Amino acid sequence: MGATASHLGKDLLSEYQELTFLTKQEILLAHKRFTELLSREDKNLPDPRAPTEAILTLPELKSNPFRERIVRVFSTSESRDGLTFEDFLDLLSAFSDSATLEIKSHYAFRIFDFDDDGTLDENDLEKLVNCLTGETDETRLTPDEMKQLISNILEESDIDKDGTVNLSEFQHVISRSPDFVSSFKIVL
Amino acid sequence: MDNDSVFYSARTGPTNPLLDQLPSYQSLLYRRKPANGGSKRRSSSRTRMGSSGSGRWGGATVALREEKTPPLQRPVRELPRTMAEKRRDREQRLEQDRELSSWRQRRRSLHRSLKRLRADLQERLSSLVLWRGDIHLIEGMFGTGILSYFSFLRFLVLLNLVIFLLMFSFVMLPIIIAPHAGGNVTFNQADGSVCSVYPTSARRGLVIFHEHITDLLSGGGFLEQTYLFYGYYKVHAISFPGFTYNLPLAYLLVTVAYLCLSLVWIVQRSATGFKRNLIQDEDRFQSFCNKIFAGWDCCITNEDAARLKRSSLLYELKTDLEEERIKQKIADRSRKERCRIYTIRLILNVFVIAVLAACFYSIYRATIFSQKAQMEKVNFMRDLIYEYLPSIVITLANFITPLLFSVIINFEDYSPAFEIRFTLMRCVFMRLTSIGVLLFSLWSQITQCKEGPCLCGYNHQLYSCWETRVGQEMYKLTVFDFIIIAAVTIFVEFPRKLMVNYCGCGLMRWWGQQEFAIPQNVLEIVYGQTICWIGTFYCPLLPAICTIKYFFIFYIKKVSLVNNCRPATRPFRASSSNFFFLVVLLIGLALASLPVMVGVGQINCSQACGPFVNYTVSWEVLPRTVSLLPNKALRDLLFALASEAVAVSLFVITCVGMFYVIALAGAHKRVINQLREQLVMEGRDKRFLIQKLCQAQRMTPARPPVPPGGPQPLARAGRDGSAGSRSSWGSPSYHTSFSTNHSDAMFLANAPPHGSTHV
């Protein structure tokens, strides 16, 4: 790939700049933080893959309730475990300030789709709300409230009334959501 | 699960060239390509199957896309694909470019290098942004709601700096550089009348130290005859070699310019917020989708903050759900209950008005008393208190009334969302109108003479230079405001934190740690900004003082926030915050322009000081300059523009334009509703057709396989959002609503998997 663990080649850097939304400083900082996550043996591999547990120790991801989903979505390995540096750059690019709304909403949809079936159905939405409010029993909504909430969400976003939210319905509702761009942002 | 088996079969099935001929797929390609490539659709269907990297689908999609590359392509980084795929796309595009003519190639590479240059420039500019590190820290600890307050503060610092630079470069700079640039300054001549007597207020003889402090805090004494106040600018014109610089005209035009500049900048900043808030056609306070899908601030890095964010989200959801139930309850109210509630509301509103009137009257009396008391100096402490009496009364009133309003609103039985808004509006009104009352009482003093109508148009005995007086009052308000903010932080919030942390008694625990209440803090700084806007005409250095004041307030608030405060239980959303801040700021601007316009256009300017000595009213300098223009046509044009005919016709045109746009919006809404209903019907039609197909298949299992144009397209049902046209029987177009997929005839022979699409 042309990159050793300690140094990024210049043309590789400019290639990354073109292929992602990150600036040069951000790519270099990402490289630094990524190599810190690797174990000693992995550092000498040509294309090292940081394990999921190491990535989840990053402070930016540690407090995020969707951290495992995020790593799964951006991982390119067969078992969806661990990120290479390019996966990590893809992650940061999608979460960066200058990413387009479409990229962000596309990846947000994939992150929220817990069962990976391409639509957000009621189970996905329920898991989503529970992630947001907390995992313990006191911090959950009552079943009635959950049902009310999910029916409200589906009423707002399900255009064809089939009980699920697909990608374009999701993107439609996100385009009208004013908070999305500012909240879907991770800056190292 | 049956779903998975469908996917596996679909994966091993051959790609169907007939599929590309489906009308819906064709329209998808051409419609979506400029917006997002067809490959995007493919990639999302790929993820559904849980595979990553380039499988068969990856190869297939690339092959498909290559046949239909449009001339206009999106940049590679806007495609939601992995890095390896993006790299391959880029190489493909470069290869395509090599096949183009050399001129096109050069143009493309020029494009690319320009884009790179622009990105570098933007990166360098963004590193110069003020307080970036601090704001990033606050964002990580408290989320985007409180962050919006601090970026609003930063905006005000910049705005004040720009206003100061405007004032400085057009009013002060010519005076300062006149002796160095060979300019000849002509001062306003005193015409000897009784109106132009200006007794100096400089202290003579031995000046005691504390008098300097009094002067510094009240803007009198040694500060009065400086660049700080209007009275110092007694310049009539500056004649440089080559042209004459008309300072009174410049002074007036800069005043108008800074008001217009503030208006334009604020509107431009709030443009996106306006659009979103006006387009949202729901009658909910906040969209649930917005709260759930955009609810988590991914920038939070602090564990405690994350925990608090979770609990605040839970609280917000529960409150909003309850509000839905309350709305239902309100709609079910009986007539008797409604009458009762309306009478209660009427009584409480009358009470609120009475409280407001009492506050305004006390401000009026305090101002008059303070003005009278400034004539006789007794001792240091008492003088200072009398000087600051209006500020003290305003601050007290603004402290008590919000508490009162928040108690009253509980009895008025509105929905929780409306309660918050209404209380806020009342507080805004209270804060901003108190300045207006202060100014009104000042002006009633200035234009009131003991015997009948005033000789010079104003009370020249008490106020030989009334603009400087007004400037001094604004200066005092600003200084006092800053002192109060600093004092409250140091003497109230820090001890509260110490007491809550170290004293575990019940009272302390009930009082709890300080919450960073965003609305009240925002009102504070908007109040300060309104004073600045009003006062800049009378005190040209006031924007600089306000810049420094807001600069220090940023650090005070940041330290207080990080050490003392916890986030509010009811979160203030970033988007609605930005909109709310800018609306309140606009209200402040509107309320600030009113006194400035009255002062400039209505009240006679003082004859003893200032640049407008030779005019009756400050505004008069403009018509007089226009009448002295050499070009007759230009003169007539400018006079015609100022006439009533133009104003009335502009107003009529604006009204017509507004009505047209409102009618258009109404028509669009109707069309949107119709389209929604149509989409629902289409979905139902599709489900009906699929059911019938399944039944037909079930009836005749031995039938030879249906031609490829039939059910097989269903195998490729992508998860794209195409509504799908109603094509002929046998080749229904795919629709993403299906969470189940039907592949070829073999599977349809079995009972179709249950899903949400089946009744």
Side-chain angles (χ1 to χ4, degrees), chain A residues 109 117-119 160 162 166-168, chain B residues 6-7 10 19 22 24-25 28 38-49 57 61 686 711-724 732-742:
Chain A
F109 184 77
D117 65 349
T119 59
D160 54 9
D162 62 347
N166 59 37
L167 177 62
S168 69
Chain B
V6 165
F7 299 153
L19 193 59
L22 272 184
S24 56
Y25 180 60
L28 187 69
S39 55
K40 188 175 168 188
R41 301 286 152 229
R42 295 293 167 204
S43 66
S44 56
S45 63
R46 199 168 14 91
T47 63
R48 166 175 47 84
M49 294 175 208
W57 288 112
T61 59
K686 228 171 297 287
Q712 248 182 332
L714 295 172
R716 295 277 302 249
R719 297 286 179 203
D720 18 20
S722 59
S733 47
Y734 36 80
H735 195 283
T736 56
S737 54
F738 294 147
S739 53
T740 64
N741 258 326
H742 312 276

Side-chain angles (χ1 to χ4, degrees), chain B residues 12-29:
Chain B
T12 52
T15 58
N16 197 342
L18 279 173
L19 193 59
D20 305 333
Q21 298 171 16
L22 272 184
S24 56
Y25 180 60
Q26 299 284 319
S27 71
L28 187 69
L29 275 184

Side-chain angles (χ1 to χ4, degrees), chain B residues 226-331:
Chain B
T226 57
Y227 281 112
L228 187 59
F229 291 116
Y230 169 99
Y232 185 71
Y233 297 88
K234 288 203 299 288
V235 178
H236 176 63
I238 307 178
S239 41
F240 289 104
F243 67 97
T244 359
Y245 189 79
N246 191 346
L247 194 80
L249 182 67
Y251 201 100
L252 185 72
L253 286 181
V254 162
T255 307
V256 171
Y258 81 70
L259 287 174
C260 291
L261 171 75
S262 310
L263 178 70
V264 166
W265 201 347
I266 296 172
V267 168
Q268 182 252 327
R269 231 182 115 91
S270 60
T272 35
F274 273 141
K275 260 189 277 175
R276 285 195 197 113
N277 275 16
L278 288 178
I279 285 180
Q280 274 169 354
D281 55 354
E282 54 222 78
D283 47 6
R284 287 207 183 88
F285 177 44
Q286 279 279 358
S287 152
F288 279 108
C289 284
N290 186 35
K291 284 199 182 107
I292 297 293
F293 295 138
W296 185 262
D297 288 334
C298 293
C299 48
I300 292 182
T301 51
N302 192 341
E303 276 292 337
D304 291 326
R307 201 175 15 98
L308 285 165
K309 178 86 188 172
R310 277 211 189 92
S311 57
S312 75
L313 261 174
L314 180 68
Y315 177 79
E316 193 182 354
L317 285 173
K318 282 198 193 251
T319 337
D320 284 341
L321 288 170
E322 195 187 312
E323 187 184 324
E324 289 260 311
R325 295 195 282 266
I326 288 178
K327 264 204 199 140
Q328 191 59 38
K329 197 178 69 159
I330 289 177

Side-chain angles (χ1 to χ4, degrees), chain B residues 8 63 75 98 123 189 192 385 388 406 425 432 568 589 630 661 699:
Chain B
Y8 290 139
R98 254 169 253 146
E123 189 183 335
Q189 298 302 334
I385 292 182
Y388 274 92
S406 51
M425 278 299 124
L432 298 179
L589 180 63
V661 167
M699 307 267 211

Side-chain angles (χ1 to χ4, degrees), chain B residues 317-584:
Chain B
L317 285 173
K318 282 198 193 251
T319 337
D320 284 341
L321 288 170
E322 195 187 312
E323 187 184 324
E324 289 260 311
R325 295 195 282 266
I326 288 178
K327 264 204 199 140
Q328 191 59 38
K329 197 178 69 159
I330 289 177
D332 297 335
R333 267 200 208 127
S334 72
R335 184 177 252 185
K336 198 174 86 165
E337 272 182 39
R338 235 180 278 179
C339 275
R340 190 181 65 97
I341 295 234
Y342 286 157
T343 33
I344 292 182
R345 281 188 196 164
L346 189 67
I347 295 173
L348 286 174
N349 274 313
V350 166
F351 178 63
V352 162
I353 293 177
V355 164
L356 287 176
C359 288
F360 292 156
Y361 184 70
S362 50
I363 295 174
Y364 176 74
R365 285 240 64 93
T367 315
I368 295 185
F369 179 75
S370 159
Q371 292 291 309
K372 292 214 167 69
Q374 277 173 39
M375 302 300 162
E376 317 107 32
K377 313 263 179 204
V378 179
N379 71 25
F380 169 57
M381 256 344 295
R382 237 177 60 157
D383 285 342
L384 210 57
I385 292 182
Y386 285 164
E387 296 253 10
Y388 274 92
L389 201 59
S391 321
I392 295 174
V393 171
I394 289 181
T395 310
L396 268 177
N398 284 320
F399 177 71
I400 296 174
T401 41
L403 298 171
L404 202 64
F405 292 155
S406 51
V407 165
I408 287 178
I409 201 92
N410 288 328
F411 296 103
E412 287 182 309
D413 203 10
Y414 290 114
S415 67
F418 188 73
E419 271 182 15
I420 297 179
R421 269 193 192 148
F422 201 43
T423 325
L424 265 174
M425 278 299 124
R426 279 180 177 156
C427 294
V428 167
F429 180 71
M430 173 69 216
R431 270 229 186 226
L432 298 179
T433 334
S434 46
I435 309 175
V437 171
L438 173 75
L439 285 169
F440 172 75
S441 38
L442 265 180
W443 268 318
S444 68
Q445 285 283 291
I446 289 170
T447 49
Q448 224 176 49
C449 295
K450 256 183 275 208
E451 325 83 32
C454 291
L455 200 65
C456 316
Y458 60 93
N459 192 342
H460 63 273
Q461 283 146 350
L462 292 174
Y463 302 99
S464 42
C465 189
W466 64 264
E467 286 102 342
T468 305
R469 270 309 191 81
V470 173
Q472 281 169 340
E473 289 297 325
M474 297 292 116
Y475 174 81
K476 278 187 270 188
L477 277 178
T478 308
V479 168
F480 191 71
D481 188 39
F482 179 61
I483 291 176
I484 284 288
I485 290 179
V488 162
T489 310
I490 297 175
F491 295 119
V492 174
E493 291 185 11
F494 270 113
R496 179 171 171 174
K497 174 200 171 194
L498 290 170
M499 283 202 285
V500 168
N501 279 348
Y502 295 117
C503 165
C505 65
L507 185 68
M508 284 301 126
R509 221 170 300 154
W510 170 76
W511 200 17
Q513 229 182 355
Q514 177 83 21
E515 252 184 38
F516 193 84
I518 294 183
Q520 298 306 326
N521 279 302
V522 166
L523 278 180
E524 251 173 23
I525 55 181
V526 169
Y527 168 76
Q529 185 59 38
T530 312
I531 298 175
C532 177
W533 274 322
I534 297 177
T536 304
F537 181 71
Y538 303 106
C539 172
L541 281 180
L542 198 61
I545 298 174
C546 280
T547 309
I548 300 174
K549 170 181 156 195
Y550 285 138
F551 194 82
F552 283 120
I553 287 180
F554 182 91
Y555 288 108
I556 293 175
K557 289 287 174 190
K558 179 185 162 227
V559 166
S560 158
L561 178 71
V562 168
N563 291 324
N564 301 346
C565 297
R566 56 186 168 91
T569 24
R570 175 140 196 145
F572 216 71
R573 301 217 144 252
S575 60
S576 60
S577 331
N578 282 326
F579 183 63
F580 163 69
F581 299 165
L582 295 165
V583 163
V584 174

